[in-house]
Amino acid sequence: MKILVVGATGTIGAAVSSALTARGHTVLPASRSGEVKVDVERPDTLDAVFAAEPGIAHIVCCAGSGSLVPVDGGTDEEFVQGLQGKLLGQVFLLRHAVPYLPDGGSVTLTAGRIPETLRGSAFGFLTNAGLEAFVAAAARELPRGLRVNAVSPGWVRETLAALGEPEGGTPAADVARSYVEAVETVSLTGSTLTP
């Protein structure tokens, strides 16, 4: 199967691309700055990829960013930018994918788990819980057997190590297995997988 991986240059995206390739899939790696350009904040970039690359059956989105903005700090613009980058960008990605994907195709999005003790976690909960609720509801509305799921990876070991935290986190290769499961399990839709 031909699978578009958005955010393929990141830690999770690279691991997902490797895992899907190892399973015999054809991976089309995409990112904001790569050869194949997709920016979830600009959904028209996805339209351009579908026009140039026929035959994409599945999309995995490992992109989407948003700052942890404290309720009593930051600006309204920071909240809006975070919603656009993490939540709305992935919602728009699904909406733009629907007309192009073949019957039975799928989109896998990335949610997250934020520690409640982390300042700014309320914003993280808003975006991630909103995305998970959207996935559960959208799955019931999709036509032609299309599927949508999310993966909630939590802290990734390689990311923590890069931040100077040598302990904890889930290895990216283990996180990638949840994305592979979401793509390959034809009965799975409306779910959030946690590695």
Side-chain angles (χ1 to χ4, degrees), residues 3-127:
I3 302 171
L4 177 69
V5 177
V6 180
T9 57
T11 302
I12 295 174
V16 169
S17 296
S18 294
L20 290 168
T21 300
R23 300 275 301 169
H25 300 295
T26 300
V27 172
L28 182 62
S31 65
R32 290 182 191 170
S33 58
E35 186 175 326
V36 178
K37 292 188 180 350
V38 174
D39 182 346
V40 296
E41 294 183 42
R42 295 185 49 231
D44 58 307
T45 59
L46 183 67
D47 298 334
V49 170
F50 273 107
E53 296 283 349
I56 296 171
H58 303 276
I59 300 174
V60 174
C61 183
C62 302
S65 60
S67 300
L68 294 177
V69 183
V71 171
D72 61 346
T75 65
D76 291 343
E77 289 75 22
E78 287 177 290
F79 271 90
V80 171
Q81 181 60 38
L83 287 173
Q84 181 68 31
K86 177 70 175 186
L87 177 61
L88 293 178
Q90 293 191 89
V91 169
F92 295 154
L93 184 141
L94 173 65
R95 287 175 41 82
H96 279 251
V98 168
Y100 297 104
L101 289 172
D103 294 1
S106 73
V107 176
T108 303
L109 306 176
T110 297
R113 285 176 284 148
I114 305 293
E116 293 180 21
T117 56
L118 188 64
R119 184 160 166 75
S121 66
F123 181 73
F125 274 92
L126 168 66
T127 56

